[in-house]
Each structure stands twice: as C-alpha cells, then as structure tokens.
Amino acid sequence: MSDTTSGQEQRQRRGIRLTIAFVLTFILIVVAGFIHRIGQPRLMSDGELQANGLYLMDPPRDFGDFSLIDHRGEPFTPASLEDQWTLVFFGFTYCPDICPTTMAFLDQFVGQLEGTEAKDTQVVMISVDPARDTVEQLASYVPYFNKDFTGVTGEFLDLFRFATALNTPFRKVAGQGEDYQVDHSANVVLINPRGHYHGFFKAPLDLAKMKVTYRAARYIWDH
C-alpha cells in the first residue's frame, strides 16, 4: 500500500470520527434543550389551569385581618403569609383519612420543588377542630409529616371566619359524641406573597398537574 493511499484512509477515518462526534454533539444539544424547556414554567390559559385543577382568583383577594396561633406558640397573622407562597390546607388531627393523606401528599410535593420555589414555599394546616387541636396537639402532629410545615389553631369563630374568607367553610358532624368528625374541603388554597387569596387546587390532587400549575401561577404572577 502506498503512502498516498494510507494517508487518504487516515483522512477518511478522521473525517468519519469528526462527523460522528458532530452528530452526537448535535443530538446532546437538542436533548438538553428539550429537557430544559420541559423544566421551565410556561404561560397557561385559565382553561388550561382549570383543566389541571387550579382555579385562580381574578384579581387575587385580600381576605382581611386575622389573629391565630401556630403550633410553635407564635402568633399567626397576615404578616405570616407575606413574602412567600403559601399552600393552606384545612384539616384536623383526628381526621382518619383525607387529612393525613393530603399532608403526606404536600410533603411529597414540596420535596420535589427546587431552587427559589423550594425556598419561598410554605405549607400551613389550619385546624377546623380547635376544641381538640390545641397547640400541643398540633405540635405532635404536623411536624410528623414535615418539620417545616406549620399547624395553626385559634378560637372557633376566628378560624371559621378565616376559612369562610377562603371559600372553605367547615362544620362539625352532629350526633357522634366525643369521637365526632368535621366536614371540610380537601382543596388546597394558594396564597401569594402579598398575603392575598390567589386561588385553590381542587381535590383530588394530582402531583404532576399540581407541579405544572403551581409553576405556571408563579410565572404569571412574575410576568
């Protein structure tokens, strides 16, 4: 084999390697771009949001003043809802099914948030059973699901007014003695960083849909 033929074969092999490297790099760029776009929030219409379970208030509603107490013994007031996004669930510690299921779901949800979303999202459970849900009772219940979650209780009328302002009234089921249940909504209320009623995630909750709509709501708010 001549030196000329050998040189041509080497150039051909080098050309093939360069072509393969170019194609692989191009594929990696395309795939990375696709994954990046999937991970980015996008603008969604009201119809799309509602189809995925999120109903936004237009405009968000200032639901007034309130004074409650959290499971750490600290005051829970409008200032507790400012400068962060808040997911509010109304439940009670003696609830047999919906409440523990929803609290576990919310723990899973916030566990999948990243970056700024993880840092400025808080979860609050508001008691609909203040007669039994004392500060001490909430302190032994709420952190079981997530140490960063906040449980809130207070006087019955204060809690009822707070729940009604967020379209989530509740009522004690009559005729059950000391082991009574409380009828309440399984929706999760969304409060924006101004402390206003921004909307709600309608039950039953779906993790994938809630992640998409939550990010969309934040994106709409920022833009």
Side-chain angles (χ1 to χ4, degrees):
M1 181 180 297
S2 67
D3 292 341
T4 300
T5 301
S6 177
Q8 289 177 341
E9 289 179 349
Q10 290 178 357
R11 285 193 295 273
Q12 286 176 345
R13 286 195 294 269
R14 186 162 53 248
I16 291 171
R17 287 195 295 269
L18 289 173
T19 300
I20 292 173
F22 174 79
V23 171
L24 290 176
T25 301
F26 177 76
I27 291 173
L28 287 174
I29 292 173
V30 170
V31 171
F34 178 72
I35 293 174
H36 177 73
R37 286 195 299 274
I38 288 178
Q40 294 302 302
R42 66 182 183 87
L43 187 63
M44 299 176 71
S45 68
D46 287 343
E48 288 178 299
L49 291 170
Q50 292 175 15
N52 286 282
L54 175 59
Y55 293 75
L56 296 182
M57 308 298 294
D58 187 19
R61 182 191 305 166
D62 181 354
F63 50 90
D65 195 19
F66 57 89
S67 182
L68 303 170
I69 187 168
D70 70 21
H71 78 269
R72 304 174 185 93
E74 299 294 329
F76 188 82
T77 66
S80 305
L81 300 174
E82 295 175 354
D83 301 322
Q84 59 196 318
W85 289 88
T86 306
L87 302 173
V88 176
F89 173 66
F90 288 84
F92 62 112
T93 63
Y94 287 82
C95 177
D97 42 35
I98 293 175
C99 301
T101 299
T102 303
M103 293 290 282
F105 173 91
L106 291 173
D107 174 58
Q108 185 181 10
F109 175 77
V110 298
Q112 294 192 15
L113 300 179
E114 298 178 351
T116 302
E117 291 178 357
K119 292 179 181 178
D120 68 3
T121 300
Q122 68 169 340
V123 173
V124 176
M125 189 188 93
I126 307 290
S127 175
V128 297
D129 183 19
R132 293 182 294 187
D133 286 346
T134 62
V135 169
E136 293 76 18
Q137 177 71 9
L138 287 173
S140 67
Y141 180 85
V142 174
Y144 171 81
F145 297 95
N146 188 303
K147 64 180 180 62
D148 294 323
F149 286 5
T150 299
V152 173
T153 189
E155 297 296 327
F156 175 83
L157 288 179
D158 293 334
L159 290 167
F160 190 80
R161 281 193 290 265
F162 184 80
T164 302
L166 295 175
N167 295 335
T168 53
F170 56 88
R171 67 178 184 86
K172 178 180 176 181
V173 178
Q176 295 185 332
E178 294 299 318
D179 296 325
Y180 61 86
Q181 295 297 308
V182 182
D183 282 340
H184 63 94
S185 172
N187 295 338
V188 171
V189 174
L190 179 63
I191 308 296
N192 66 36
R194 290 182 183 170
H196 293 171
Y197 178 21
H198 202 76
F200 65 92
F201 298 92
K202 185 176 177 60
L205 304 173
D206 179 276
L207 187 61
K209 290 180 179 179
M210 189 167 171
K211 286 173 60 179
V212 170
T213 53
Y214 179 54
R215 301 190 81 186
R218 293 174 58 110
Y219 181 80
I220 293 169
W221 168 265
D222 290 335
H223 293 80

